[in-house]
Amino acid sequence: MNKTRMKTFTTILSQKEFSKQDIVTLLAAQGNDEKLLFARSKEIKELEVGKKVYYRGLVEFSNICSKDCFYCGIRKGNTGVSRFNLSDEQILKAADFAHKSGYGSFVMQSGEISSPAFTGRIEKLLREIKHMTNDELGITISLGEQTEETYQRWFNAGAHRYLLRIESSNRELYQKLHPNDETHDYQKRLDCLYTLKKIGYQTGTGVMIALPFQTLEHLADDILFMKEFDVDMVGMGPYIEHPDTPLYQYRSELLPLNERFKLALRMIATLRIVMRDINIAAATALQAIDPLGREKAVKVGANIIMPNITPGTYRNNYKLYENKPCVDEEPQDCVKCLDVRIKLADAEIGYGEWGDSQHFYKRNE
Ligand code: SAH
Ligand code: SF4
């Protein structure tokens, strides 16, 4: 290997501030450079947030969605999906399972619905979960774009973290991934993120990695966007095509799955180096490509895992992309296999702890 080149790469790794070009270089790392990147991100992770991994039990409680994102298998326009909506009782049972299993937190995610009935239902569920678990279970929600009033009501009812991926921080790319109408407006999504932060949520965002039309420059800008927004948590994973979506037509332009996977790991590692003390989730989409995908992400910088605890029979219908893992399993099966694998990834499990974003507390000091 060229010695000067090597020096440059290690110099970048030792910096605390990063230019867009630095980030592109990190994202493009191959061979020995990639190993150095992963070693550095692991080191920074252990220094800043420790070796603990926190579990968030994830319930994907409904695939009913009013939107038509071009990449997503449960988009409204996909008439081939059988739609489901878990009952309140099933959601509460899942929350109870998360609590009893010692997961510090619970995540409720669904397609995007905006109606007074939906807002009221979620508000009621949040209060019940808080009450039922003596306030011991942290709650994250990921229910898309909503009004400030709705976000505030859910915050008051006990949700304290919100995940809303920007999907891509590049306006033009965002537009290529969504229909050109009011319900899929980049500015609206961005405004929602600012509103969530203003209300006081620990605010999480993220992007899909290796999308059609996406370059390393776009991804570097995504990292700079997260830094500039001063985000508390990030969940990001590889884009995986779904046959019943408009973006499927570009599948021949995509990186092979194993390359997408590796790029996603480099994104996680680079983000850890740039934003040292945030929470980074190992996305389920990583596991769809590699059965040990999430554990590999933990090794290079992620510190959050969201085991899927949606009741087994419904999982088959929450397919945002192909090869979604564990769709045939019941929640209990996942607990055992995860525990063993996390230990293999040289990490510890923060049982019963909320595992809040340290970055959130520091920025509010
Ligand atoms: N409806 C909400 C939450 C559910 S979708 C929302 O859109 O915010 C959760 C995430 O799944 C999205 O943010 C998107 O980044 C991801 N996703 C959707 N389709 C995907 C695909 N084909 N490959 C990888 N991730 C996908
Ligand atoms: Fe609906 Fe979210 Fe899928 Fe878009 S990504 S279609 S909002 S579930």
Side-chain angles (χ1 to χ4, degrees):
M1 180 165 303
N2 179 324
K3 224 174 163 199
T4 345
R5 165 88 190 80
M6 179 78 187
K7 213 169 171 187
T8 316
F9 195 82
T10 37
T11 309
I12 296 175
L13 281 181
S14 62
Q15 293 168 191
K16 287 232 160 139
E17 297 295 327
F18 302 85
S19 68
K20 180 170 169 182
Q21 188 49 53
D22 292 337
I23 296 176
V24 170
T25 306
L26 296 180
L27 293 178
Q30 298 289 327
N32 196 45
D33 283 353
E34 190 182 50
K35 284 200 189 105
L36 291 172
L37 168 71
F38 291 158
R40 180 73 178 140
S41 60
K42 182 173 192 279
E43 183 186 36
I44 292 182
K45 174 186 141 175
E46 289 177 2
L47 190 73
E48 300 281 341
V49 297
K51 273 194 173 193
K52 273 191 190 161
V53 169
Y54 300 98
Y55 283 171
R56 320 266 186 244
L58 168 67
V59 167
E60 298 161 329
F61 66 89
S62 170
N63 64 355
I64 302 170
C65 187
S66 59
K67 290 178 80 174
D68 250 332
C69 308
F70 289 157
Y71 40 84
C72 180
I74 63 168
R75 63 198 298 271
K76 184 178 159 200
N78 184 6
T79 50
V81 180
S82 108
R83 305 285 166 174
F84 72 91
N85 190 359
L86 294 191
S87 67
D88 288 1
E89 201 194 339
Q90 284 169 315
I91 298 174
L92 293 173
K93 208 173 145 207
D96 186 52
F97 172 80
H99 185 225
K100 295 214 169 100
S101 307
Y103 293 172
S105 298
F106 185 56
V107 185
M108 285 164 64
Q109 189 177 73
S110 72
E112 189 174 306
I113 311 231
S114 306
S115 69
F118 184 76
T119 305
R121 179 185 184 210
I122 299 297
E123 186 177 27
K124 189 164 151 271
L125 280 166
L126 289 168
R127 290 196 196 282
E128 281 184 36
I129 295 167
K130 279 281 155 194
H131 179 70
M132 183 180 90
T133 63
N134 307 317
D135 234 352
E136 283 164 13
L137 195 64
I139 309 181
T140 307
I141 47 177
S142 179
L143 308 170
E145 294 163 39
Q146 304 286 345
T147 62
E148 178 165 353
E149 193 214 329
T150 298
Y151 283 150
Q152 186 69 60
R153 276 174 60 184
W154 291 345
F155 185 77
N156 296 347
H160 68 133
R161 309 186 191 109
Y162 204 104
L163 288 176
L164 184 74
R165 288 185 176 180
I166 191 71
E167 316 296 2
S168 168
S169 64
N170 180 283
R171 200 179 285 261
E172 285 78 46
L173 180 53
Y174 187 92
Q175 280 166 356
K176 286 187 188 159
L177 308 174
H178 298 93
N180 180 18
D181 61 28
E182 262 174 37
T183 34
H184 299 85
D185 183 46
Y186 176 82
Q187 192 59 46
K188 191 168 152 234
R189 202 157 182 93
L190 189 58
D191 291 346
C192 282
L193 277 172
Y194 281 103
T195 305
L196 290 164
K197 195 173 177 188
K198 185 180 83 182
I199 290 172
Y201 281 97
Q202 289 178 42
T203 308
T205 194
V207 294
M208 279 172 287
I209 299 159
L211 284 158
F213 325 116
Q214 192 183 44
T215 62
L216 290 186
E217 281 74 19
H218 285 134
L219 289 170
D221 279 334
D222 289 336
I223 290 187
L224 290 171
F225 165 83
M226 291 166 193
K227 173 100 177 144
E228 166 74 24
F229 182 88
D230 209 12
V231 72
D232 302 308
M233 344 181 267
V234 170
M236 56 185 177
Y239 162 71
I240 302 175
E241 65 275 27
H242 188 294
D244 304 321
T245 59
L247 276 198
Y248 195 64
Q249 62 184 297
Y250 301 106
R251 63 191 176 282
S252 62
E253 291 169 32
L254 298 171
L255 287 173
L257 276 176
N258 64 328
E259 289 297 322
R260 273 183 252 171
F261 179 81
K262 278 168 61 188
L263 180 55
L265 289 189
R266 292 199 296 277
M267 266 298 271
I268 289 174
T270 304
L271 180 67
R272 174 58 73 200
I273 291 172
V274 176
M275 293 194 75
R276 303 163 69 101
D277 58 356
I278 60 169
N279 276 350
I280 304 180
T284 314
L286 290 162
Q287 199 194 353
I289 301 182
D290 179 333
L292 287 175
R294 292 179 304 178
E295 293 73 11
K296 289 182 180 168
V298 165
K299 271 195 170 166
V300 304
N303 67 329
I304 303 288
I305 285 199
M306 310 205 295
N308 194 334
I309 58 168
T310 309
T313 43
Y314 293 96
R315 287 195 202 184
N316 253 324
N317 292 325
Y318 198 86
K319 280 198 174 160
L320 310 179
Y321 43 80
E322 282 185 311
N323 296 330
K324 212 173 160 209
C326 287
V327 285
D328 298 326
E329 292 178 27
E330 284 293 332
Q332 289 80 348
D333 300 325
C334 285
V335 186
K336 281 182 257 139
C337 61
L338 254 175
D339 275 14
V340 176
R341 294 185 334 210
I342 288 304
K343 283 171 193 145
L344 289 176
D346 190 23
E348 297 153 19
I349 303 158
Y351 275 118
E353 296 176 52
W354 281 19
D356 279 329
S357 164
Q358 299 191 20
H359 188 78
F360 174 80
Y361 292 110
K362 283 189 206 150
R363 84 174 162 80
N364 286 292
E365 261 171 15

